[in-house]
Amino acid sequence: MMEHIGLEQVLPTEIEARSFEIITEELGSTPLVPGTEPIVKRCIHTSADFDYAHSLVFSDGVVERALAALRQGAAIVTDTEMGRAGINKKRLADYGGEVHCFMADEDVALAAERNGTTRAAASMDKAAALEKKVIFAVGNAPTALVRIYELVREGVLNPEAVIAVPVGFVNVVRAKELILELKETPSIVAKGRKGGSNIAACICNALLYMLGERRQ
Amino acid sequence: MMEHIGLEQVLPTEIEARSFEIITEELGSTPLVPGTEPIVKRCIHTSADFDYAHSLVFSDGVVERALAALRQGAAIVTDTEMGRAGINKKRLADYGGEVHCFMADEDVALAAERNGTTRAAASMDKAAALEKKVIFAVGNAPTALVRIYELVREGVLNPEAVIAVPVGFVNVVRAKELILELKETPSIVAKGRKGGSNIAACICNALLYMLGERRQ
């Protein structure tokens, strides 16, 4: 039906697989860290931006640690509703996990005002009080990363993993470097200015889909 | 407090303005279509990707048409929950508008199955039945654009504007070209593979913020 308008004939269910084939072809011999390929490729799939083949930095063992945490029902904490919307919550729930975004919470707004911080920073304090394993997925606010850095340094927070991929022009590059300086904290960092809530969500989904494949 | 860790001292309320200053500086003398600057810059702000200075195509008068429609309470229809999450719904509601995403609706799933289409295509049929002005904001599914193209050609749909910015590798480039071929339909198109639900949402927000400035 659509042939006359020049569209490739691909079944809806096969579009993602075909996209990943194209990405793999175009990556060619670009070196990727073994075990991180599904994550890097999904970031490219989400953005059509091959910069992620070079900008993503994985701490040693972060993928295994994050997968183990998700398998045990770890929660994911995001810094935007958009990030929460993008995460496959059904798949996460299969393992007992859920996604939290505290940005719109009344107590977070009050704490931010009281302490003269951003709501993003205050929402990380709230996350630090959760009594369960937590993976942070930060796609927007560098101040969220700065607060995670401070809480880890203070010994108050011990995240299973920090996905540090905010996008932007003010303090974003430096905030990501701070996470890289936490040598004991597993992290996935998009170096430079690029990233976003969509990238944060797609990294979470890549991990969830890796778990699904290993279960089969 | 944060000086020792090398962060720029910018008040939370000033970060966005500072970011736009940096973007404006770095754009330098890159030519932008007059009247579209706030939209192009917000896409760069959302992605840290200066490609949008070159890839965004605006049909004649689309910005004025979209602003007028929003002012009159037009609805926005997205093809993802993530796009819906990113749109400033409070600002939209100030003018009487709301955001719809029909992707998860039972009747859309059934129609897609019955007709052998994607849910994205079926959700555009549902949107076409809305009895109000509609702006489409498509950040994910090329099949949504193809269906919009068909409905416009059939005379069934007359959108106030089509924001055509899906991201991807299969039929994305061609689906955007189809929208450009609709000479009577106001459109904002991100040519090429890049785009996304975040870009779709940020273009809607740029329009809403432009309205706010004009009201003051």
Side-chain angles (χ1 to χ4, degrees), chain B residues 108-129:
Chain B
V108 165
L110 289 172
E113 201 178 346
R114 193 171 55 238
N115 301 325
T117 68
T118 62
R119 280 189 299 159
S123 76
M124 297 297 115
D125 285 314
K126 184 162 180 174

Side-chain angles (χ1 to χ4, degrees), chain B:
Chain B
M1 175 191 77
M2 293 175 182
E3 240 152 350
H4 64 291
I5 46 178
L7 293 163
E8 193 178 340
Q9 302 298 300
V10 182
L11 289 174
T13 49
E14 291 169 7
I15 290 174
E16 183 167 306
R18 178 73 191 116
S19 300
F20 274 76
E21 276 176 21
I22 296 170
I23 292 165
T24 302
E25 276 168 35
E26 297 194 17
L27 277 170
S29 58
T30 308
L32 301 180
V33 179
T36 69
E37 298 92 339
I39 298 168
V40 177
K41 289 180 187 176
R42 188 163 292 277
C43 288
I44 296 170
H45 177 256
T46 288
S47 62
D49 191 334
F50 283 80
D51 280 3
Y52 289 104
H54 309 285
S55 64
L56 288 171
V57 178
F58 296 83
S59 70
D60 283 349
V62 60
V63 174
E64 288 306 324
R65 173 83 176 264
L67 292 177
L70 290 171
R71 203 181 286 119
Q72 293 162 41
I76 297 175
V77 172
T78 70
D79 65 329
T80 60
E81 286 297 331
M82 211 175 167
R84 173 156 74 175
I87 294 170
N88 191 328
K89 288 166 286 294
K90 209 167 159 184
R91 191 62 73 94
L92 182 61
D94 287 347
Y95 302 98
E98 57 184 324
V99 187
H100 301 283
C101 175
F102 300 126
M103 290 293 289
D105 293 8
E106 189 65 24
D107 55 342
V108 165
L110 289 172
E113 201 178 346
R114 193 171 55 238
N115 301 325
T117 68
T118 62
R119 280 189 299 159
S123 76
M124 297 297 115
D125 285 314
K126 184 162 180 174
L130 290 172
E131 294 190 346
K132 48 185 166 185
K133 290 178 187 290
V134 172
I135 293 173
F136 289 89
V138 176
N140 184 58
T143 54
L145 294 185
V146 174
R147 191 64 190 136
I148 289 171
Y149 171 84
E150 292 173 339
L151 290 167
V152 169
R153 295 295 289 257
E154 290 165 14
V156 178
L157 185 63
N158 184 24
E160 297 300 311
V162 179
I163 298 167
V165 296
V167 59
F169 295 86
V170 176
N171 288 334
V172 163
V173 171
R174 179 66 190 133
K176 291 170 177 174
E177 286 171 358
L178 287 174
I179 298 302
L180 291 172
E181 289 173 16
L182 298 172
K183 296 301 178 194
E184 307 298 320
T185 302
S187 63
I188 301 174
V189 178
K191 283 175 79 169
R193 288 171 167 177
K194 286 182 180 175
S197 296
N198 53 339
I199 296 295
C202 96
I203 292 174
C204 295
N205 290 338
L207 290 164
L208 288 167
Y209 302 150
M210 288 167 85
L211 269 190
E213 281 162 21
R214 291 180 188 201
R215 195 174 46 177
Q216 282 157 11

Side-chain angles (χ1 to χ4, degrees), chain A residues 27-102:
Chain A
L27 277 170
S29 58
T30 309
L32 302 179
V33 180
T36 69
E37 298 92 339
I39 298 168
V40 176
K41 289 181 187 176
R42 189 163 290 278
C43 288
I44 296 171
H45 177 256
T46 287
S47 62
D49 191 335
F50 283 81
D51 280 4
Y52 289 104
H54 308 285
S55 64
L56 288 171
V57 178
F58 295 83
S59 70
D60 283 348
V62 60
V63 174
E64 288 305 324
R65 174 82 175 264
L67 292 178
L70 290 171
R71 202 180 287 119
Q72 293 162 39
I76 297 175
V77 172
T78 70
D79 65 329
T80 60
E81 286 298 330
M82 211 175 167
R84 176 157 71 175
I87 294 171
N88 190 328
K89 289 167 285 294
K90 208 165 158 186
R91 191 65 72 96
L92 182 61
D94 287 345
Y95 302 98
E98 58 184 324
V99 186
H100 301 283
C101 174
F102 300 127

